[in-house]
Amino acid sequence: MNLIDDLQQKQLCNGQHAHHHAPLIRLGVTDLSFHRVTAAVVAQVMHLMGKRVELSYALHEANFNRLKLGQIDLLCSAWLPHSHGVYRQEVETQVTTRELGLHYEPYALWGVPDYVPEDAVSRIEDLLKPEVKQRMRPIIQGIGEGAGITRFSKNIMEQYGLTAAGYQFRTGTQADCVAAFESAVSVRDWVIVPLWHPQFLHHQYGIRDLQDPKGLLGGKDKAVLLARERELAINFSPEQIQVLDNIVLSNQIVAELDYAVNRQGMTEDEAAANWLAVNPSHLTTWLAPLLNPTNVTSQEVTL
């Protein structure tokens, strides 16, 4: 019997195992692979607590709007305070939200393959050097509108004079961004990739961060589960809320999960289930308030 089976037998949900009688938890997920696989971990923990979970996917800003309108109950994952802080402020004009857990600590970056000599390109303004412009691909392929890295990149293009110098920033899907980078690397072309941590490309390639003296890429964020506070109190007991707050992953863990999806052919659910099965100590720690409710103080679970 594995840990998950064992935990289910302990009736963690205090009799709510009849999933069909449990409230439906609407979990909004940012529609990028590493967000999807992180949400799969969160959803499996909710399942262990006897919840029915409906996952739905949208891009960054749209998800925050859905949270504001009450179309979803929780969002996985919000990058706060920098990348998505402006979106959360808009939500807070209508409803109170609460941060839970720490899924990882992301940060945005502009990078180049590590075979691009560092003495030639170490800072963003180095892209303006005539000898670098001759070697560097002029198209900088990003991801979707609304992403923090997209907003930052558009500002970088103007503030560093890159548009005037002939570079072009393009939005697209994550697949477009990855394909543009891998296409260049396959022939050892010089290329700029607007990226972030955690992301599976870092597992396969050496990517060197470019220094950003103007500080336009923001700081290090915290990726958290963001909940509408009212619905949180309705749908979860204080001990269950503490479990959600206990979910702590890391950049390395999420990159590993993302790699399993993008390079090993697993579904998000398969990657999450596999990781939880081989890392049972994480589940034990997260679920401790249900295994031993006396571990939870009233202060910790006050809404």
Side-chain angles (χ1 to χ4, degrees), residues 72-89:
I72 56 176
D73 304 313
L74 307 103
L75 193 163
C76 183
S77 305
W79 289 15
L80 301 171
H82 299 290
S83 297
H84 302 160
V86 63
Y87 303 144
R88 185 190 187 185
Q89 288 176 8

Side-chain angles (χ1 to χ4, degrees), residues 14-35:
N14 296 322
Q16 293 186 44
H17 268 297
H19 286 215
H20 56 285
H21 293 312
L24 179 65
I25 309 301
R26 301 169 300 172
L27 179 60
V29 184
T30 308
D31 196 10
L32 292 169
S33 63
F34 64 97
H35 283 288

Side-chain angles (χ1 to χ4, degrees), residues 125-136 167:
E125 60 262 46
D126 288 339
L127 302 175
L128 299 172
K129 295 177 180 174
E131 64 274 23
V132 173
K133 285 175 57 182
Q134 288 182 346
R135 295 288 305 273
M136 194 68 70
Y167 290 98

Side-chain angles (χ1 to χ4, degrees), residues 169-180:
F169 176 77
R170 290 182 180 173
T171 58
T173 64
Q174 178 176 256
D176 293 333
C177 178
V178 169

Side-chain angles (χ1 to χ4, degrees), residues 128 155-167 214:
L128 299 172
N155 197 26
I156 286 171
M157 293 297 293
E158 299 307 316
Q159 297 297 322
Y160 282 94
L162 299 178
T163 301
Y167 290 98
K214 296 181 186 291

